[in-house]
Structure formats: structure tokens, C-alpha cells
Amino acid sequence: MKKISQYILFTAAFAVLALASCDYEKINTNPFEMTDKEGIMDGIAMGGLVTAMEKSVFPTGTQADDTGPVNAYQTAYNLSADAWSGYIGVNNTFQGGNCHLNYVIVDSWVATTFSNSYTNLLDSWKKLTASANENNTPEIAALAQILKVSGWHKVLESFGPIPYTAAGKETINVPFDSEETVYTEMLKDLAEAVEELTPKAESGVKVMPAYDLVYEGDATKWVKYANSLMLRLAMRIRTVKPELAKQYAKLAVDHSIGLMTEAGDAAGAGRGAGVVLRNPMFWIADNYNDARVGTSILSYLMGYQDPRLSAYCQPANNSCTVAVTAFDGKKYQAVPLGHSNTRSDASSTDYSSYYYYSKPNIQGDTPLYWMRASEVYFLRAEAALYWGVEYGKGDAAALYKQGIETSFQENGVTGSVDTYMASGKIPAANKVTSPKFGFDYLAPCQTTAKFDGSQEEKLEKIIIQKYISLYPNGQEAWTEFRRTGYPKLNPILPGGNHNSNIDVTRAVRRMTYPVSFNGTGQSQEIYQDAVQKLGGPDNAATDLWWAKKN
């Protein structure tokens, strides 16, 4: 995090200035983007807005963007959801340990989550939609809707109520909508986008191919992704709005073009339209030396003898004295959540230092995935488990197995899925004996990969395998953990939790709104209305609408 201090100061200052009076014209304006005067609203200007939105779903950029997007991703997601999901352990402490890693919410960090995946997308979406309407190109407006929902649902699932139905309108103070309203409108927006793009897909029309970094204009893949995203959001509200969830799940699975089904359908920011985006997690792990593998994901991979282990995790440094030999003959070790040790570097003589533990196996050109086909099979398996085969387009057991097989394919690994499922193996315990860097975790659960047991036990198995396949998308894994209670994760280290409002087994339930949202006058009224719609205090222990069951 070598350049992050300056970036955090800028972000915090920008957030305070933009939000102090809840002037949403300011918060909804991306200062790094061309204005209307700087570019004629033709293909070039519109294409630039598509590219800008794709780079903001998760913050990412090219080498020319320097470390700005890296720092934005680190504060917005890596030091929160990636860690809270058990995917990433951090080889560092920040702010004397009073930060997200110890369940203390950092205001400037949550401000970057909101600004990067909401604000930056909103301004581009407004301009792109207006231009598409003026130029009678509804397919571009449909693409803008899909990109907007791709980013905003993460903000919705981090904070709770957000401005949606009135977002983009010419008003200074924009009201927040309830979570139920936002999910309803997001699902409707996705359905309308799919309806618009389907004829284009069927006739082979490309949509902004020179500027689309995800699918290079392939309308068929955009339809598959939008349907899959629709299914993801439908399943999110399965227990709180079941009839709405069933309506859109059925709409998604029954569509003529359908859902993501193979590795090549994956959506994410990587290499496309002649542009190579840099994966920020690579930079955080390799250049900042902050990110390492988390203990929870390693427990599942090691215990199940999962062939994805080496695809996800690099072996520990050869100097690491506390690494554990895995089934593949290589040695690994993970960093726990909530430790209080400052970062050690390669000059340290203590080779049990977290510096030497396993890094995520992510390269600079590894795509930053938004969604992959394996997740969709697990979504369909859950739908079939609870509602029947017509909602999953298949049997739950077969879809579960196909999800594992597809994840193997996505990660370039081989192995018998039947053998893997029948092995009877359970997640591994993790014990490290060290005066300074030691920790001791029992196995997070005793669950095998065999698809058997009660309906609830089968749900746990589906979510465990989805958790493994989602790696390293910590935002989605954290969200599903809160929704279902699965998978069981290693808790924060004893003594590391500085926030008495947060149960160590339930963990952080949401991000608090940036302090600057609570302004004066009408802006304070809007903030108070948002908290009322949240249904609990504006703190990190309050459950979101769809997560109150667990």
C-alpha cells in the first residue's frame, strides 16, 4: 500500500466535499471523465463511457492508469469483503489495527466503495443513456443498464438502501430507496435490457465492439450474462420475496438464449478490444506485499484435497518455517483475520513472518471476474433444490456436480469430480505454532462434498462449492455468507475484535454509510429516512433485508 495514504486523503477529501451537503450533482460527477464539450457524442465518446463503466464495476485500469485503480480496489474491496470472506489474509495492519480487518469501519474506505462502484458508474450511465436515447440506439442504453446493475448491486449489498429510482434526475438531494424497491427495479431493468438485446444477439449484431472490454460487442454473451445476473439477484431474495424471486428466476432460465454455461461465458475486466487491464489484486500482493491467502479458503482446499489449490494459491516462500505440506507435495500457509502484527519484509530473520506465507495465484493479466458459469450452475442447483427442476432447468444434484466440473475447467485443473465428491474428506484444521505469528483454528465444519442429507445440508454443500468456485471474488462470497450462513468461516483472532457490536461468528454484516451522508437540513432528513428503511442502526452489526434469517 505504498501510495495509498495520498489516495485515501484525496478520496476522503473528495467524499466530504461531495457529500457534506448531499449535493448529488457533485457526487454523481466523475472528475476523471471527458465532459460533453470535450467529445462529440458519437461512437468515440459513447464508447469511452462504456469503457469507463466497465472499469468501475470493480475498480481496475491499465498500466497507464498507474496505481489509482489499485488503491481504489484495495480500500473499497480488498481490505473489506475479500478479507471478511476468508479469501484474503493481509500481511499488514493499518491505522494501528483500528480498521476493517479488526471489524472497525474506516469512513474513508467505505466512501471509496460507494464512490467507485456507484458514483463513477452513475455519471457515465446518465450520459450514455441520454446519448443512446438521442441517437436512437436502445441497445446501448440496454448495455448501460446491465453495467449499472453490475456495480450498484454490490453497493446495495454493502450498505443497504441506496438512491435508485430517482438516481440521475436533476435534483440536488436524491432520496434513497428501500432494498426491496431496488431489487425489484434492478430485476425489471435487467429483464428489459435482455428483451432489447435479444433480437440483436439473434441477428449477430455487435454492440460497441471497439470499446467493450468484456465481450467485444458480443450481444449473445451480454444476454447470457444479464440473465445470469438476474438469476443471482433473484436467488438473493429467495427467502424474503419468494414469489418475485421465482418469477425472475424462471424468466432467466427459460430465456431462448439462456444463461452462462461454459468457461468462455465469463464476465469480467481483463483483456478485450485491444486493451489489457491490470488485475489490482496482483499489484496488492506482489508489489505492495499486503495480500496473502486467507485461512478459511485454505482450510477448504487443503481438507478436500481440492485440485484447485495450486490454481488459487502460490506455495509459501521457501524460507517459511511454518508452511504445511499439502497433498500436491507443495507447502502452503495462510494469514488469519484480525492479527495485530506489523508487516515484516524479506530482511526479517523471523521466517514465520506473514511475509513468507502463500500469495494468491493471480497474475497481472488475470481477469478481474464479475461472474463465471460455475456460479450459475450453483444458483440453478439452489433454485431446483427449493422450487423444483423447472426453476433450475435440471436436477439439483446434477447441477451441483456440473458446477464443480465447470469450476475445474475454468481454472484449468483436471481430476475426477465423482472421486472428489465421494472422498468423504472434510475441511482441514489449521494450527501454526509461533511466538508471534501463531494461531489455532479447528476445521470450520465437518461437511463433505457428497451431495446428500437434508435440504439444509444440501444447501450448505451448494454454497461451500460456490464459495470455492467464486474465489477470489470476495464481495460475492461475503454476500452469500451473510445470506445463507454458509460456508462456516474461521473467526477473527481472539482479542482482535475492537467492536463489541459485532458477533465474531456472524462477522461484519454491512458497511456503514459515509459520515458525510449525515449532513444538515434536507440531506439529514434523507439520511434518517435511509436508516429507517434499513430497519436498524447504521452500524456494521445490522443485518440487511435479505440477510435477517442468518
Side-chain angles (χ1 to χ4, degrees):
M1 204 189 259
K2 295 176 182 177
K3 296 187 180 182
I4 198 169
S5 298
Q6 180 180 357
Y7 180 81
I8 289 175
L9 289 174
F10 166 79
T11 300
F14 175 73
V16 170
L17 288 172
L19 296 170
S21 64
C22 264
D23 185 342
Y24 282 92
E25 279 306 301
K26 290 182 180 179
I27 188 176
N28 294 344
T29 300
N30 182 352
F32 305 107
E33 197 173 84
M34 72 170 68
T35 65
D36 293 346
K37 294 180 180 179
E38 292 171 325
I40 301 171
M41 273 309 204
D42 56 11
I44 295 176
M46 292 176 72
L49 294 171
V50 170
T51 301
M53 291 188 76
E54 292 178 344
K55 291 167 70 175
S56 294
V57 171
F58 277 121
T60 186
T62 65
Q63 185 174 351
D65 292 315
D66 200 23
T67 56
V70 176
N71 295 336
Y73 181 85
Q74 185 172 31
T75 54
Y77 292 104
N78 193 246
L79 293 173
S80 53
D82 290 349
W84 296 334
S85 66
Y87 281 167
I88 296 297
V90 180
N91 174 40
N92 206 341
T93 55
F94 303 99
Q95 304 194 170
N98 290 299
C99 66
H100 289 175
L101 303 173
N102 283 318
Y103 294 170
V104 178
I105 299 300
V106 180
D107 185 63
S108 61
W109 294 5
V110 296
T112 57
T113 307
F114 196 97
S115 63
N116 277 281
S117 292
Y118 183 94
T119 306
N120 291 356
L121 278 162
L122 174 56
D123 189 54
S124 298
W125 167 71
K126 287 195 317 183
K127 293 179 179 179
L128 192 56
T129 302
S131 178
N133 291 338
E134 290 172 9
N135 290 281
N136 193 28
T137 51
E139 69 277 9
I140 296 177
L143 177 58
Q145 287 284 64
I146 296 169
L147 291 172
K148 179 189 74 172
V149 174
S150 296
W152 284 15
H153 87 83
K154 295 198 296 296
V155 180
L156 174 71
E157 290 152 1
S158 294
F159 295 93
I162 61 171
Y164 195 87
T165 57
K169 293 184 178 179
E170 298 300 325
T171 179
I172 292 176
N173 292 296
V174 183
F176 286 56
D177 293 298
S178 70
E179 295 170 76
E180 180 177 352
T181 296
V182 179
Y183 277 107
T184 302
E185 294 302 314
M186 282 185 172
L187 288 165
K188 186 187 303 181
D189 285 346
L190 287 172
E192 290 175 355
V194 167
E195 184 177 4
E196 179 60 46
L197 287 175
T198 297
K200 303 293 189 293
E202 291 172 341
S203 59
V205 172
K206 297 282 187 179
V207 182
M208 306 300 285
Y211 302 96
D212 174 11
L213 311 183
V214 180
Y215 290 133
E216 296 185 319
D218 189 329
T220 296
K221 288 190 175 181
W222 277 114
V223 169
K224 287 184 176 183
Y225 167 61
N227 280 327
S228 300
L229 183 56
M230 190 190 308
L231 181 60
R232 175 195 275 179
L233 299 186
M235 298 311 295
R236 193 83 80 227
I237 60 174
R238 174 177 63 80
T239 61
V240 292
K241 200 74 172 175
E243 292 308 311
L244 185 68
K246 290 170 73 173
Q247 174 190 341
Y248 281 98
K250 193 94 166 56
L251 186 66
V253 300
D254 283 347
H255 189 267
S256 58
I257 291 176
L259 304 153
M260 295 171 154
T261 56
E262 55 190 39
D265 292 333
R271 183 188 300 268
V275 175
V276 178
L277 296 174
R278 182 168 56 186
N279 191 309
M281 294 184 70
F282 164 77
W283 200 264
I284 294 166
D286 249 49
N287 292 72
Y288 293 168
N289 267 306
D290 284 343
R292 297 293 184 266
V293 172
T295 59
S296 292
I297 186 64
L298 192 64
S299 290
Y300 284 95
L301 294 170
M302 294 276 277
Y304 287 147
Q305 296 193 4
D306 196 300
R308 290 165 286 191
L309 173 63
S310 61
Y312 289 174
C313 312
Q314 296 182 27
N317 186 285
N318 289 334
S319 299
C320 184
T321 57
V322 293
V324 176
T325 302
F327 58 92
D328 63 0
K330 300 174 184 176
K331 294 186 175 183
Y332 301 87
Q333 194 50 269
V335 175
L337 181 65
H339 69 80
S340 58
N341 296 311
T342 56
R343 183 175 67 195
S344 301
D345 58 30
S347 64
S348 172
T349 57
D350 186 348
Y351 294 113
S352 64
S353 162
Y354 294 139
Y355 175 88
Y356 296 98
Y357 287 20
S358 298
K359 294 180 180 180
N361 192 10
I362 297 170
Q363 306 306 312
D365 60 353
T366 300
L368 189 58
Y369 290 112
W370 308 344
M371 195 173 199
R372 303 175 86 177
S374 54
E375 178 191 346
V376 181
Y377 281 110
F378 293 121
L379 290 167
R380 291 169 60 188
E382 182 181 347
L385 178 67
Y386 283 89
W387 298 330
V389 295
E390 66 271 26
Y391 287 92
K393 282 292 181 183
D395 172 72
L399 291 165
Y400 171 81
K401 179 181 177 181
Q402 186 63 53
I404 300 173
E405 289 178 342
T406 303
S407 182
F408 282 12
Q409 294 164 9
E410 289 167 341
N411 290 286
V413 303
T414 58
S416 167
V417 175
D418 288 326
T419 301
Y420 175 82
M421 291 174 57
S423 69
K425 298 187 182 301
I426 62 171
N430 196 339
K431 183 178 180 65
V432 173
T433 302
S434 168
K436 187 176 181 181
F437 299 96
F439 55 92
D440 190 357
Y441 289 125
L442 299 173
C445 66
Q446 301 294 308
T447 306
T448 69
K450 186 178 180 180
F451 197 66
D452 59 5
S454 67
Q455 186 180 61
E456 185 68 20
E457 288 169 332
K458 289 177 178 177
L459 174 65
E460 180 180 11
K461 292 168 188 283
I462 289 170
I463 302 300
I464 286 173
Q465 288 304 319
K466 183 196 288 188
Y467 174 79
I468 297 173
S469 71
L470 281 168
Y471 181 86
N473 185 349
Q475 177 65 26
E476 188 60 25
W478 175 51
T479 299
E480 286 294 81
F481 166 75
R482 290 175 292 154
R483 178 178 75 91
T484 66
Y486 303 121
K488 302 299 183 185
L489 303 177
N490 291 330
I492 194 170
L493 284 177
N497 180 9
H498 300 293
N499 188 334
S500 59
N501 291 325
I502 299 177
D503 184 291
V504 296
T505 58
R506 300 185 77 245
V508 174
R509 308 303 290 179
R510 63 178 288 272
M511 294 180 178
T512 59
Y513 291 118
V515 170
S516 50
F517 276 32
N518 189 6
T520 59
Q522 188 179 5
S523 65
Q524 187 177 66
E525 293 176 10
I526 289 174
Y527 166 76
Q528 294 297 339
D529 181 62
V531 174
Q532 184 178 16
K533 289 171 178 171
L534 175 66
D538 182 15
N539 63 38
T542 295
D543 281 315
L544 296 181
W545 172 60
W546 42 266
K548 293 183 184 296
K549 182 181 176 181
N550 294 289

